Amino acid sequence: MGHTNWLNEEEMNAWIAFISAATLVDRELDQQLKEDMGLSHLQYQILMTLNRAEAGAMRMTELAERIINSKSGLTYQIGQMEKAGLVTRRQCEWSKSGVLAEITPEGRATLERAAPGHVEAVREILIDVLTPEERKAVADGLGRVRDRIAERKQGGTCW
Amino acid sequence: MGHTNWLNEEEMNAWIAFISAATLVDRELDQQLKEDMGLSHLQYQILMTLNRAEAGAMRMTELAERIINSKSGLTYQIGQMEKAGLVTRRQCEWSKSGVLAEITPEGRATLERAAPGHVEAVREILIDVLTPEERKAVADGLGRVRDRIAERKQGGTCW
DNA sequence: ACAGTTGAGTTCAAATTTGAACAAGCAGTT
DNA sequence: AACTGCTTGTTCAAATTTGAACTCAACTGT
């Protein structure tokens, strides 16, 4: 091979729209959450994920993968949130090397207070701006994109 | 007002797919660029933007807005890239307080060397994973999302 | 039981990002 | 010219993120 298969205009539009919307949406939500509740978007996602998890607890690594953050980054954030009383660390019962992050009652309360404003912002910024068809395309297409990237990190069909 | 209009499943799918794809894609591209060329995605975008700009130069503020980065963050990055010889700083002719960032020949050369691999990655990770219809939906829908957010920072119909 | 590997979390220093405070320049008024 | 208010870009300290090195625990095969 050799010659690059450049993006045509149609593809370029999709690319540019995606990348800039991604950055802007994230930034916007981060600000909304920080102003309203003093939470970063990352922290909100952590609370959210733990809250849904069974028993409100989850292994560090699994959490890191889910939230998409490096392991050390998660260690740091959980440390911060622990100081703030939103989560606790607890040893994993069946594995002495494992650590469970668990959401505290205060964490749940904070989440409940933050959720309405957050959801409203998500609607205003993204969801309600898309038509139902676009939403479906986003869910399907970007869902596939997500899965493909997640896969390649796994079985790593590295050729 | 009062009761929160929660996301239904269809909306939630779109939201989750969007946010995780956004994070993953960005991370993936960042790594590809860093491995191949020692550039961060941000730096690539800066080079790209300057390269397209007239005379290969642009005001700091405009560049920051375009790339979506805080002003101080841009100052830092341009500093790094200046050290690396990829860009230069030059005073704006008509405004003594203005500064122009300008891409150097070496910057252009770097960009040219980086582009093929980057485009290929963008295809593999995002573009080629989407159907043409999905690409159109992404371009239109997320384009609208981007514009709305950009607008609100402007005229700020803050009610 | 014992080396050899792999996996889970943490630690640490370095790189980056953020936001507030600042120094200057520009424009409009008086 | 002096005064006021905005815009530019930088500086600085604090917060966060990253990646590599490290510590233990768990698993493998002998």
Side-chain angles (χ1 to χ4, degrees):
Chain A
M1 9 227 118
H3 306 293
T4 301
N5 190 6
W6 300 103
L7 301 185
N8 63 34
E9 192 176 331
E10 178 249 329
E11 293 162 338
M12 187 64 102
N13 286 338
W15 167 237
I16 300 287
F18 174 77
I19 199 73
S20 40
T23 318
L24 284 170
V25 166
D26 196 56
R27 191 181 278 287
E28 204 72 2
L29 289 179
D30 213 58
Q31 260 180 305
Q32 180 264 319
L33 278 169
K34 217 163 285 177
E35 275 176 24
D36 285 9
M37 296 286 306
L39 287 176
S40 69
H41 190 196
L42 183 56
Q43 293 177 327
Y44 182 90
Q45 287 180 294
I46 292 175
L47 287 182
M48 192 61 153
T49 308
L50 288 181
N51 189 46
R52 287 206 202 179
E54 201 163 350
M58 199 179 270
R59 292 286 291 267
M60 293 294 277
T61 300
E62 197 189 342
L63 186 52
E65 274 165 12
R66 189 91 62 150
I67 301 300
I68 304 157
N69 208 157
S70 62
K71 283 189 302 173
S72 59
L74 184 63
T75 295
Y76 173 77
Q77 275 302 338
I78 292 292
Q80 295 298 304
M81 295 172 75
E82 203 169 16
K83 277 188 210 162
L86 302 174
V87 302
T88 328
R89 254 185 257 249
R90 147 160 89 76
Q91 209 204 38
C92 177
E93 289 91 4
W94 69 89
S95 158
K96 229 191 288 187
S97 70
V99 173
L100 291 176
E102 178 174 22
I103 188 171
T104 63
E106 192 182 336
R108 296 210 201 251
T110 302
L111 185 57
E112 267 174 48
R113 260 178 296 132
H118 178 65
V119 170
E120 199 181 325
V122 170
R123 278 201 177 287
E124 194 177 322
I125 292 174
L126 182 82
I127 295 298
D128 289 351
V129 178
L130 301 177
T131 66
E133 296 77 35
E134 287 168 347
R135 279 202 292 272
K136 175 147 176 48
V138 165
D140 293 351
L142 296 187
R144 214 177 315 124
V145 168
R146 161 176 37 76
D147 295 341
R148 296 253 321 215
I149 300 179
E151 273 174 36
R152 81 154 58 178
K153 307 218 157 181
Q154 286 294 330
T157 306
C158 281
W159 307 68
Chain B
M1 19 219 113
H3 305 292
T4 302
N5 190 6
W6 301 101
L7 301 185
N8 63 34
E9 191 177 334
E10 175 250 329
E11 292 162 339
M12 186 63 100
N13 286 339
W15 167 237
I16 299 288
F18 174 77
I19 199 73
S20 41
T23 318
L24 284 170
V25 166
D26 196 56
R27 190 181 279 284
E28 205 72 3
L29 289 178
D30 213 57
Q31 260 182 304
Q32 178 265 321
L33 278 168
K34 216 164 286 177
E35 275 176 24
D36 286 9
M37 296 287 307
L39 288 176
S40 68
H41 190 198
L42 183 56
Q43 292 177 328
Y44 183 90
Q45 286 180 293
I46 291 175
L47 286 181
M48 192 62 154
T49 308
L50 287 181
N51 190 46
R52 286 204 203 179
E54 202 163 352
M58 199 180 269
R59 291 285 291 265
M60 291 295 276
T61 299
E62 196 189 343
L63 186 52
E65 274 165 11
R66 189 91 61 149
I67 302 300
I68 305 157
N69 207 155
S70 62
K71 283 189 300 172
S72 58
L74 185 63
T75 295
Y76 173 79
Q77 274 303 338
I78 292 291
Q80 295 298 303
M81 296 172 75
E82 203 169 16
K83 278 188 208 162
L86 303 173
V87 302
T88 329
R89 254 185 258 249
R90 149 160 88 75
Q91 207 202 41
C92 178
E93 290 89 4
W94 70 89
S95 160
K96 230 191 289 189
S97 69
V99 173
L100 291 177
E102 180 174 20
I103 188 170
T104 63
E106 192 183 334
R108 295 207 201 252
T110 301
L111 184 57
E112 268 173 48
R113 260 179 297 133
H118 178 65
V119 171
E120 199 181 324
V122 170
R123 276 201 178 288
E124 195 177 321
I125 292 174
L126 182 82
I127 295 298
D128 289 351
V129 178
L130 301 177
T131 66
E133 295 78 36
E134 287 168 347
R135 278 202 294 272
K136 176 148 175 47
V138 164
D140 292 352
L142 296 188
R144 215 177 314 123
V145 168
R146 159 173 41 73
D147 295 341
R148 296 255 318 219
I149 300 179
E151 272 174 37
R152 82 155 58 176
K153 308 217 155 182
Q154 286 294 330
T157 306
C158 282
W159 307 68

